[in-house]
Amino acid sequence: MQNKQSVAAFERAQKCIPGGVNSPVRAFKSVGMNPVFVKKAKGTTITDLDGNQYIDCLASWGPMLFGHAHERILQAISDAAVNGTSFGAPSQYETEMAERIVRMVPSIEMVRMVSSGTEATMSAIRLARGFTGREAFVKFAGNYHGHGDSFLIKAGSGAMTLGIPNSPGITKGTAKDTLMAEYNNLASVEALFREKGNEIAAVILEPVAGNMGVVVPTKEFLQGLRDLTTKYGALLIFDEVITGFRLAKGGAQEYFGILPDLTTLGKIIGGGLPVGAYGGRKEIMEMMAPVGPVYQAGTLSGNPLAMAAGIAMLSMIEETPDLYSEMERKAAKLEAGILENLKKTGIKGVINRVGSMMTLFFTDAPQVNNLDEAMTADTARYAAYFKQSLESGIYLAPSQFECLFVSYAHTDEEIDSMIAANLLALKQLEN
Ligand code: HOZ
């Protein structure tokens, strides 16, 4: 694989951008490689500066359900752009987006648009505190809710990948209000409520964890959190930035049939443009200014280009009846192929999958249900696997603790190529 241009681009970037990247995992540090600089992406193909092509399994960390540069989304963006790129004043795009979200996501009666998932989770926690008059909240080890101060405690994603789950710069005062529990362990949450039940404003979680690799919740765990939060008058917040519109039209809450009080969204609702949102029951959402006293604002919130792209994306989702069944079929085929390859090569691994999101953990552990079990994965082995996959033209997440995303746009031939590349990479690990 020729990578001269990417190497030069990375050298140039490192002189003026910390680490050469605007989001840490992209630097490929944990896989010990030079990052690939993207020239363009179309459908499921990424082309780098050196002209190498890859089948994309990253999907821009989730949003590209229909592949890159989809005609409908491009058209929507260009149609909107001729009428102005930002108003800082209301437009009907925002209402149309909100109406669609309310129609599609079961627990959302009202929604507020922001510009990233991080903003959505920060605002949702502030709202939960304002609504309940309490300050603490419960977060799960290995879950990642963006880079808001109070979330960077035992955080997943890049923080975990780079071994800095507790970032310097977070004050003790902030950290003390974040109560940590173990994913899939209801008893760990019950203990916190027994001790501090009337101080807890909310429990926030990824209803399928994607930022410590995919970790699937048990239905009892989700139901237990619903019952516990209701009993103690705390809010249940589902961070559906990854799962929203990916697992089902109505996200993980529809998939599992458990409704949170508040939901945070991002990625897919922007059709690949920078967007986040938080929504929930009307009585809670009406605590937000200008109706209520909880403040949150943003010049680019509800930006017309982002709304237009997101509306096109949501229309496509509603107009594609076999979207979720096809993604499930293709992802199940990929999972079965990888399991078969593990058997053939004798390499030890656990695959966690829900719908179109999955992670192959290189671990001897029998299962991965929480952060401690995820941490048993051999990250050096993942790095070697990642490198070989890239050589074979498969672009995976550059970290063991992220997801592989199957999209509707992947063809069966591409799934076959992924399975073949997986076998080759596993064989290299044997040697
Ligand atoms: N936090 C993202 C992964 N879960 C990474 C975003 C990026 O690097 O673009």
Side-chain angles (χ1 to χ4, degrees):
M1 192 180 76
Q2 174 70 263
N3 66 348
K4 268 199 200 129
Q5 308 282 344
S6 276
V7 169
F10 191 43
E11 274 168 16
R12 179 179 162 204
Q14 285 175 95
K15 293 185 184 135
C16 48
I17 305 174
V21 290
N22 283 311
S23 193
V25 196
R26 293 179 201 176
F28 280 24
K29 213 170 164 180
S30 76
V31 289
M33 285 182 72
N34 194 90
V36 162
F37 269 61
V38 176
K39 182 171 184 194
K40 58 182 182 181
K42 180 78 185 163
T44 51
T45 305
I46 288 181
T47 307
D48 72 15
L49 290 183
D50 293 278
N52 302 303
Q53 294 199 325
Y54 310 92
I55 299 174
D56 181 25
C57 298
L58 185 74
S60 183
W61 302 94
M64 297 305 164
L65 278 192
F66 295 96
H68 295 271
H70 192 283
E71 287 307 322
R72 265 229 10 227
I73 293 187
L74 297 186
Q75 192 62 51
I77 296 170
S78 66
D79 288 352
V82 292
N83 291 322
T85 56
S86 175
F87 311 129
S91 77
Q92 291 206 95
Y93 288 115
E94 297 160 71
T95 319
E96 179 170 350
M97 172 63 98
E99 284 170 352
R100 281 178 186 274
I101 293 174
V102 167
R103 181 166 76 229
M104 292 167 86
V105 184
S107 71
I108 296 187
E109 291 173 358
M110 289 190 123
V111 62
R112 180 55 81 72
M113 302 306 299
V114 288
S115 296
S116 68
T118 290
E119 264 190 84
T121 52
M122 278 164 38
S123 309
I125 283 293
R126 186 180 307 139
L127 172 55
R129 286 173 165 154
F131 183 76
T132 58
R134 304 171 180 178
E135 293 190 357
F137 72 91
V138 177
K139 170 194 179 290
F140 293 93
N143 276 194
Y144 178 75
H145 304 290
H147 60 84
D149 280 2
S150 52
F151 299 119
L152 285 182
I153 297 158
K154 290 202 181 169
S157 191
M160 177 168 164
T161 300
L162 299 174
I164 43 174
N166 310 303
S167 171
I170 313 298
T171 64
K172 289 193 191 75
T174 300
K176 85 170 184 0
D177 288 327
T178 305
L179 309 177
M180 297 304 309
E182 186 181 56
Y183 203 79
N184 270 325
N185 179 349
L186 192 59
S188 71
V189 190
E190 282 165 347
L192 292 172
F193 271 99
R194 266 198 308 274
E195 198 192 327
K196 298 182 170 205
N198 55 3
E199 295 168 39
I200 299 174
V203 173
I204 185 168
L205 80 157
E206 298 179 67
V208 171
N211 287 293
M212 49 178 155
V214 171
V215 174
V216 187
T218 64
K219 177 105 195 238
E220 297 69 45
F221 175 61
L222 292 183
Q223 186 61 57
L225 295 178
R226 179 61 286 176
D227 296 342
L228 207 54
T229 44
T230 304
K231 176 173 163 195
Y232 282 92
L235 300 187
L236 180 62
I237 306 175
F238 277 7
D239 179 348
E240 297 231 40
V241 167
I242 292 179
T243 52
F245 309 102
R246 175 165 282 282
L247 293 190
K249 213 155 43 108
Q253 54 197 271
E254 177 186 322
Y255 190 93
F256 291 104
I258 291 173
L259 302 190
D261 301 295
L262 289 176
T263 302
T264 58
L265 296 166
K267 300 194 193 271
I268 290 174
I269 39 163
L273 268 66
V275 167
Y278 60 101
R281 291 207 314 274
K282 188 166 185 272
E283 58 162 335
I284 306 173
M285 292 305 292
E286 287 196 330
M287 286 293 287
M288 295 310 300
V291 188
V294 180
Y295 198 72
Q296 170 268 314
T299 298
L300 291 167
S301 294
N303 172 269
L305 299 195
M307 294 302 96
I311 290 165
M313 176 67 98
L314 297 189
S315 317
M316 283 158 68
I317 291 174
E318 290 199 291
E319 290 162 19
T320 310
D322 65 347
L323 173 62
Y324 297 102
S325 57
E326 267 298 281
M327 290 201 298
E328 167 66 33
R329 184 187 66 75
K330 289 174 191 169
K333 176 175 166 177
L334 179 58
E335 179 187 17
I338 297 175
L339 281 171
E340 186 61 37
N341 291 345
L342 287 170
K343 233 190 264 161
K344 272 189 209 157
T345 55
I347 299 280
K348 291 263 180 2
V350 167
I351 302 186
N352 280 352
R353 178 178 78 84
V354 184
S356 57
M357 50 194 280
M358 70 173 92
T359 297
L360 163 59
F361 291 94
F362 288 103
T363 176
D364 293 343
Q367 56 192 16
V368 176
N369 288 329
N370 56 43
L371 177 63
D372 286 346
E373 289 170 0
M375 294 295 275
T376 63
D378 181 341
T379 50
R381 190 156 252 214
Y382 184 84
Y385 170 74
F386 172 84
K387 190 169 179 187
Q388 180 55 48
S389 300
L390 202 65
E391 291 282 342
S392 304
I394 309 294
Y395 193 104
L396 299 170
S399 163
Q400 168 71 92
F401 305 116
E402 300 281 355
C403 313
L404 182 158
F405 293 107
V406 171
S407 87
Y408 187 70
H410 281 122
T411 61
D412 276 284
E413 292 67 44
E414 287 176 324
I415 301 287
D416 291 339
S417 302
M418 291 178 209
I419 295 171
N422 168 267
L423 182 59
L424 191 66
L426 293 181
K427 280 187 175 160
Q428 300 282 335
L429 296 183
E430 273 181 308
N431 299 329

